[in-house]
Amino acid sequence: MGFSLTSEQEALRKEIRRLAEEKVAPRAADIDRSGEYPWDIQKMLASQGLLGYAIPEEYGGSGADLLSCCIVGEELARICATTSLIFVVQKLAVYPIVIAGSEETKQKYLPAAARGEELAAFCLTERDSGSDAGATKTVARRDGDEYVISGEKCFITNGGLAKIHSVFCMTDPEKGYRGISAFCVGDVEGLSAGKTEDKMGLRAAQVTELVFDDCRVPAENRLGEEGSGFVTAMKTLDNSRPLVGAQALGIAQGALECAVAWARDRQAFGKPIGLMQGVGFMLADMATEVESSRLLVYKAAGMADSKDPNLSIFSAMSKMKASDTAMRVTTDAIQVMGGYGYMKDHPVERMMRDAKITQIYEGTNQIQRLVISRALLKG
């Protein structure tokens, strides 16, 4: 098992770090403070080809592997988690189309997404069906050569902004999760954004309800066969959870660097506070947790790239471990900085708020533990 990145991946990390420090860092605090979607940052990511990074080359993307995507997500999140989410959610939202869409659907929707001209959204969650996808109430009814979609989704990142939607609906409610089908839905009549959420972190990411009021979608926009939507969703999440783990990892890395710099410079009792055992041991624990999370995230990404049949358990582990680490490390970074860390003048306060959602979205960490324990019990 190798633990070194290729020279190309190291060069990628260096380039994305430079990009983040030069273009994103000056905007990070204001993005959080204003809560306004950062179109300038979105356009910058698009101009760099990053919004099509995971889309196959034949549809205008770069065809990058998941490990390279994780490096990009990590380095962006080290500076600004909202910027990282713009990258992460574009990959998440188009992946169902990549793996299950017809050639016509791919040709119609993926090139614009790859160029960053159109944002995408992943539409699974509902008010009464978060972790329990089988309780999905949004329905798709076949009507000739079309499906008519009715229902509501919630907590949809890019809601109201996206022109491409991967939507999961019930086509046979009596079958539970086996009755779920997936559809690619464009900017169609009857689709509208509802409530925009006021969030604790990721303040500038637009997260809304989406209302589907008898939206008519061509039958060829179905992603896979009827009843295959749950499998498509799970394959997508297996492939995207390491990327969320990388986002959490980047937040933790950024907070660790802030804490170390502070502990090196801040004087108390005639010496840097980092030389005091109580603080020094905290830094040691933080660094160890960050590095162990990185190894697990990279391992899961490598397994996804090699199509390892054991991906699910390691995907869940990587997301769970990295997000728990992000929450702990950002909290400890504030403790190291004391009262200063609690103030909005310093980025660790923002990092702690941003870290929390990584324990919740893409499946709560309780669901990840359920996935892991069930896999273990199956042997």
Side-chain angles (χ1 to χ4, degrees):
M1 181 184 295
F3 292 93
S4 299
L5 299 179
T6 66
S7 58
E8 291 82 5
Q9 289 166 334
E10 290 289 3
L12 173 65
R13 181 188 297 283
K14 183 177 180 180
E15 176 59 22
I16 299 301
R17 179 166 292 199
R18 180 197 63 78
L19 186 72
E21 290 178 348
E22 291 182 3
K23 302 294 186 181
V24 181
R27 288 273 288 121
D30 186 60
I31 287 171
D32 177 71
R33 189 179 302 110
S34 71
E36 297 176 359
Y37 186 83
W39 284 107
D40 58 324
I41 298 298
Q42 187 271 342
K43 288 180 172 59
M44 183 273 292
L45 294 178
S47 71
Q48 297 294 319
L50 293 176
L51 295 187
Y53 203 56
I55 294 175
E57 292 180 359
E58 57 265 37
Y59 307 110
S62 299
D65 58 27
L66 184 57
L67 181 52
S68 296
C69 289
C70 284
I71 293 169
V72 174
E74 176 187 349
E75 288 299 325
L76 293 175
R78 173 178 163 267
I79 298 298
C80 174
T82 295
T83 297
S84 178
L85 184 62
I86 296 173
F87 170 77
V88 169
V89 79
Q90 190 81 342
K91 194 268 185 194
L92 164 70
V94 301
Y95 195 70
I97 304 171
V98 171
I99 64 172
S102 66
E103 184 61 25
E104 292 77 12
T105 299
K106 292 175 183 178
Q107 292 286 356
K108 181 177 180 180
Y109 292 100
L110 291 181
R115 293 190 298 269
E117 294 172 358
E118 293 186 355
L119 294 177
F122 183 80
C123 308
L124 177 63
T125 302
E126 299 179 7
R127 292 290 177 189
D128 296 322
S129 64
S131 298
D132 180 12
T136 295
K137 296 293 192 297
T138 299
V139 297
R141 175 176 53 82
R142 186 71 183 252
D143 184 18
D145 292 333
E146 296 179 317
Y147 282 87
V148 181
I149 299 176
S150 300
E152 297 181 2
K153 299 291 183 179
C154 70
F155 304 149
I156 305 303
T157 304
N158 288 347
L161 303 177
K163 303 299 183 183
I164 302 169
H165 309 81
S166 293
V167 186
F168 297 84
C169 312
M170 278 291 181
T171 47
D172 191 344
E174 294 190 4
K175 291 184 178 179
Y177 69 88
R178 291 186 178 88
I180 296 174
S181 300
F183 298 87
C184 178
V185 180
D187 188 18
V188 299
E189 185 177 352
L191 172 58
S192 61
K195 176 187 177 185
T196 298
E197 303 294 346
D198 187 8
K199 307 179 304 303
M200 171 182 172
L202 298 178
R203 296 285 302 161
Q206 183 159 308
V207 176
T208 74
E209 293 178 330
L210 281 182
V211 180
F212 297 84
D213 185 10
D214 290 342
C215 297
R216 289 188 170 271
V217 177
E220 59 262 28
N221 280 29
R222 191 184 65 225
L223 305 177
E225 298 300 318
E226 277 199 10
S228 67
F230 182 79
V231 173
T232 298
M234 294 305 104
K235 286 181 179 179
T236 299
L237 293 173
D238 277 349
N239 201 270
S240 65
R241 281 170 178 160
L243 187 52
V244 172
Q247 181 187 44
L249 174 62
I251 296 170
Q253 180 67 45
L256 172 64
E257 291 174 9
C258 288
V260 169
W262 185 267
R264 184 187 296 122
D265 296 337
R266 177 69 171 174
Q267 298 278 325
F269 304 103
K271 60 182 178 181
I273 64 170
L275 296 179
M276 298 176 182
Q277 191 176 86
V279 174
F281 281 15
M282 286 179 69
L283 297 176
D285 287 343
M286 292 159 69
T288 302
E289 290 298 306
V290 168
E291 288 303 324
S292 62
S293 297
R294 179 171 287 114
L295 291 175
L296 193 50
V297 166
Y298 287 10
K299 175 180 174 66
M303 292 175 73
D305 291 332
S306 65
K307 295 180 170 52
D308 192 299
N310 296 311
L311 171 62
S312 288
I313 186 171
F314 284 94
S315 175
M317 285 179 176
S318 68
K319 188 269 185 186
M320 180 189 75
K321 174 64 175 177
S323 58
D324 283 348
T325 293
M327 198 66 240
R328 176 183 172 184
V329 168
T330 54
T331 302
D332 284 351
I334 289 177
Q335 192 70 23
V336 168
M337 295 178 67
Y340 293 97
Y342 192 68
M343 303 302 161
K344 290 184 179 291
D345 293 341
H346 295 276
V348 292
E349 180 270 344
R350 163 170 48 88
M351 292 173 177
M352 186 186 76
R353 288 186 285 106
D354 289 343
K356 185 58 196 176
I357 192 58
T358 65
Q359 294 180 304
I360 297 171
Y361 63 15
E362 297 283 313
T364 65
N365 282 5
Q366 286 68 34
I367 286 294
Q368 307 315 314
R369 287 173 169 86
L370 187 63
V371 170
I372 295 164
S373 62
R374 286 181 175 177
L376 291 172
L377 293 171
K378 285 181 179 178

